[in-house]
Amino acid sequence: MASSNGHSKLGIVRIGSLTCKPLHPTFGAEVEGVDFSKPIPPDVIEDVIAAEDRFGVTVYRNTGLDDLGHVQFSRQLGDLEKVPKFRGPNVPDRFQYPELFDAGNTDLDGKIIQKNSRRWWYNKGNALWHTDSSFNQHRSKYSLLLSHIIPKEGGDTGYADVRQAFRDLPEERKAQLRPLVVKHDLWHSRKLAAPNEYKSVTEHEAAAKPPAYHKLVQIAPDGGETLYIAAHAAEIVGMPKEEGLKLITELIEHCTQPRYTMFVKWKQPGDLVFWDNRQTMHRATPFSDQMEVRDMRRTTVFDDGLEKNGVPEAAGGQR
Ligand SMILES: [Fe+2]
């Protein structure tokens, strides 16, 4: 397992104006060279995307970004998801911008979310290896998570190099996986993490997030193949449910072996981790969530290249 301190033996990579310090032999880098205090010029954005395509997870330390800066930078990378209102249509938003997803452990008034509340259980699902928004038919390519308050200990974020994990599979196995289509369902991962709490899903919750269908083997930004898999993966289309789940579990276990994973430590407010959901998985790790505040906010950028992979028939041609 690699640490966020990087591998001293891995050489620095220069991409345009950026300096990338690899964090793991196959993916992840800390990137320097972006001035977040003013609008970022288009040529630097191109370098930022090139670094992302190469490393899958890029870490920008001490950016100084606030909510507006976070949203503006994210908009330079594509169209942003608006956060769905899971908790009911009349529950007010915590943030001024509807593009900001609340990935922290506080409520609207900044108080810690109480153990055993619905939202506390909901957050448990984030500790399973997943990729953001695979339960949406129009999936998302990037997530940008910005720290505002970090706990003294714990709360690191783990990442898995799904691209490398697929490429290491035997050719025969790859050929078996290529035709498969997966049903992704947000409520499946909630049930996995909190079976009692999510024994029943409310009508409002179910309507807010119906399942989506995606090809299991996809094309990564570098043109090679990768897996698109997550704890949200509930079934393989055309396969008995149990058999499909067995295969999904086996693939997630393969992708999250220590040689494909690394954990990023949040060092200070303003740290930003930018990851590609199309070629990585990630997971939250524990901290004292009843004692300490962890305030993290995320933007999520829509994938605009879905046509490269094709929309599975099971999705009815819908995006
Ligand atoms: Fe996530």
Side-chain angles (χ1 to χ4, degrees):
M1 186 189 301
S3 79
S4 60
N5 297 325
H7 284 245
S8 53
K9 286 183 193 146
L10 301 173
I12 283 177
V13 176
R14 298 205 193 275
I15 295 180
S17 53
L18 308 180
T19 303
C20 308
K21 298 175 181 166
L23 295 170
H24 180 277
T26 64
F27 78 131
E30 271 195 25
V31 180
E32 290 168 7
V34 180
D35 180 356
F36 288 100
S37 69
K38 46 190 181 201
I40 299 165
D43 59 321
V44 177
I45 291 290
E46 274 179 34
D47 295 341
V48 162
I49 293 171
E52 184 63 19
D53 286 351
R54 171 154 180 174
F55 290 103
V57 179
T58 49
V59 181
Y60 295 84
R61 296 286 180 194
N62 204 10
T63 59
L65 286 169
D66 58 9
D67 283 347
L68 178 60
H70 184 185
V71 169
Q72 282 176 334
F73 171 52
S74 307
R75 278 186 190 142
Q76 289 186 275
L77 303 167
D79 293 336
L80 303 186
E81 271 188 32
K82 293 221 169 65
V83 175
K85 286 179 168 280
F86 293 127
R87 279 168 276 158
N90 301 319
V91 178
D93 295 318
R94 183 165 162 235
F95 309 126
Q96 190 185 344
Y97 305 98
E99 296 94 344
L100 281 180
F101 175 82
D102 187 354
N105 70 325
T106 57
D107 234 320
L108 286 177
D109 53 8
K111 290 205 184 98
I112 285 177
I113 297 166
Q114 291 302 294
K115 191 173 178 176
N116 294 329
S117 64
R118 187 85 166 161
R119 191 147 163 240
W120 186 84
W121 282 115
Y122 181 94
N123 285 348
K124 289 279 153 204
N126 300 333
L128 303 175
W129 286 105
H130 68 283
T131 194
D132 291 332
S133 300
S134 70
F135 44 77
N136 289 338
Q137 198 55 57
H138 187 178
R139 66 178 189 164
S140 286
K141 55 180 176 182
Y142 303 141
S143 291
L144 294 97
L145 188 62
L146 180 69
S147 60
H148 287 252
I149 302 174
I150 53 171
K152 283 197 280 296
E153 255 184 79
D156 300 354
T157 307
Y159 294 92
D161 186 353
V162 173
R163 173 177 63 176
Q164 188 64 42
F166 178 77
R167 292 173 192 180
D168 287 349
L169 287 173
E171 198 44 55
E172 200 185 332
R173 185 67 164 152
K174 289 181 189 169
Q176 288 165 347
L177 300 178
R178 278 188 191 108
L180 301 181
V181 171
V182 180
K183 174 181 165 183
H184 292 251
D185 185 348
L186 170 64
W187 307 113
H188 174 72
S189 59
R190 300 310 103 172
K191 281 176 192 162
L192 272 183
N196 284 334
E197 179 66 20
Y198 281 96
K199 219 180 293 168
S200 59
V201 169
T202 68
E203 239 172 72
H204 179 82
E205 287 170 335
K209 284 293 161 203
Y213 296 85
H214 300 285
K215 286 185 175 176
L216 175 62
V217 179
Q218 302 257 350
I219 305 300
D222 70 357
E225 289 172 308
T226 184
L227 276 177
Y228 193 57
I229 188 105
H232 312 306
E235 288 178 40
I236 307 260
V237 174
M239 214 179 258
K241 201 170 172 180
E242 289 310 309
E243 196 185 324
L245 272 178
K246 195 166 158 259
L247 176 58
I248 289 163
T249 307
E250 192 186 303
L251 289 172
I252 292 177
E253 281 172 3
H254 167 68
C255 293
T256 56
Q257 295 174 81
R259 68 175 180 275
Y260 299 126
T261 60
M262 60 146 186
F263 288 77
V264 171
K265 188 160 191 60
W266 298 88
K267 293 183 178 170
Q268 67 241 304
D271 283 355
L272 177 80
V273 184
F274 168 21
W275 67 85
D276 188 332
N277 288 300
R278 300 165 303 178
Q279 50 185 339
T280 59
M281 278 195 290
H282 62 277
R283 57 163 293 201
T285 66
F287 68 101
S288 300
D289 71 354
Q290 294 301 285
M291 301 289 290
E292 291 199 81
V293 170
R294 184 172 185 264
D295 184 346
M296 311 289 285
R297 305 175 191 183
R298 191 190 86 205
T299 53
T300 322
V301 183
F302 277 123
D303 184 12
D304 48 11
L306 200 69
E307 65 281 358
K308 258 195 295 197
N309 296 306
V311 180
E313 233 170 73
Q318 302 286 307
R319 276 184 66 149

